Amino acid sequence: MVTSTNLAAFALVSFGMVITPGPNMIYLISRSILQGSVAGFISLFGVIAGFVFYMLCAAFGVTALVLAVPFAFKAIQFAGAAYLLYLAWRAVKPGAGSVFQPRTDLPVDPPLRLFTMGFVTNLLNPKIALLYMSLLPQFLDLEKGNLLAQSVLLGSVQIMVSFAVNAAIVLAAGWVARWFATRPGWMRVQRWAMASVLTALALSVVTAR
């Protein structure tokens, strides 16, 4: 019911979102460095549970919203673009830090708390709310069948992409953090690259029909 082109395009958008700095990435890197990759993966499963929660909420809520209030899509669209530009500015504003500078003030937590904190961190992540409420509706097609099923399928693609990328981050967290710590110039490159990705996504959102 969803074309392969739309699936590929949404997978690419999902990849662009997951590699941009945010609370999830910061938490997973910090936790993996402090407690090891096992703790990082437990936290990641909590993050994935947060994705599933958002996916189900969006699948039911966005479907009803798009069908009931046609002009609501434009409001969601422009709000999403504005937030992406705000994230881009935060990445390059004077004094901005890098996501690869992990937190060192986290306590050593048991598995249940690691899972819960990963879940809560994702629930409080506005970037994920933006992904599901602003970007996902653009890939729904009224002519292709059930919007609920389309939303679940697209959400599943996003979850798979996010798990693959974040799993790599957990496994390589220590090495990546050390590499950037000894190369401050690359910190600036990373911030500007992320700002460019976010700006491109914002333009894509605001020009979508």
Side-chain angles (χ1 to χ4, degrees):
M1 69 188 73
V2 180
T3 65
S4 57
T5 300
N6 268 10
L7 282 176
F10 189 68
L12 183 60
V13 169
S14 299
F15 179 76
M17 291 293 284
V18 75
I19 64 171
T20 56
N24 290 344
M25 187 181 292
I26 294 171
Y27 182 72
L28 290 175
I29 289 176
S30 299
R31 186 54 70 190
S32 298
I33 290 174
L34 289 173
Q35 280 188 249
S37 59
V38 172
F41 272 106
I42 294 173
S43 301
L44 174 55
F45 288 128
V47 169
I48 295 301
F51 283 132
V52 173
F53 177 84
Y54 265 119
M55 179 187 70
L56 294 177
C57 289
F60 288 99
V62 170
T63 297
L65 185 63
V66 171
L67 288 176
V69 190
F71 67 83
F73 173 72
K74 278 297 178 184
I76 293 173
Q77 187 179 30
F78 284 106
Y83 183 68
L84 284 170
L85 291 175
Y86 168 71
L87 289 179
W89 161 245
R90 285 192 60 187
V92 297
K93 69 178 182 179
S98 171
V99 68
F100 297 113
Q101 295 172 331
R103 293 178 59 186
T104 57
D105 59 341
L106 297 176
V108 175
D109 288 329
L112 180 59
R113 182 167 175 80
L114 290 173
F115 180 90
T116 302
M117 287 303 298
F119 179 71
V120 172
T121 298
N122 202 13
L123 285 189
L124 299 179
N125 185 356
K127 188 172 68 171
I128 305 307
L130 165 69
L131 175 68
Y132 277 99
M133 296 304 295
S134 186
L135 298 182
L136 184 144
Q138 298 179 43
F139 295 86
L140 302 177
D141 191 338
L142 288 171
E143 299 178 356
K144 294 295 184 181
N146 189 295
L147 291 182
L148 176 60
Q150 290 185 55
S151 298
V152 171
L153 178 58
L154 290 168
S156 299
V157 169
Q158 184 273 328
I159 289 172
M160 288 188 290
V161 170
S162 180
F163 180 82
V165 173
N166 282 316
I169 288 172
V170 167
L171 291 173
W175 179 85
V176 170
R178 288 191 298 271
W179 194 91
F180 274 95
T182 58
R183 296 167 176 81
W186 281 101
M187 288 282 197
R188 291 189 293 272
V189 171
Q190 177 261 333
R191 291 199 301 270
W192 279 98
M194 292 305 99
S196 299
V197 170
L198 290 166
T199 301
L201 285 172
L203 293 176
S204 174
V205 168
V206 81
T207 57
R209 298 182 60 183

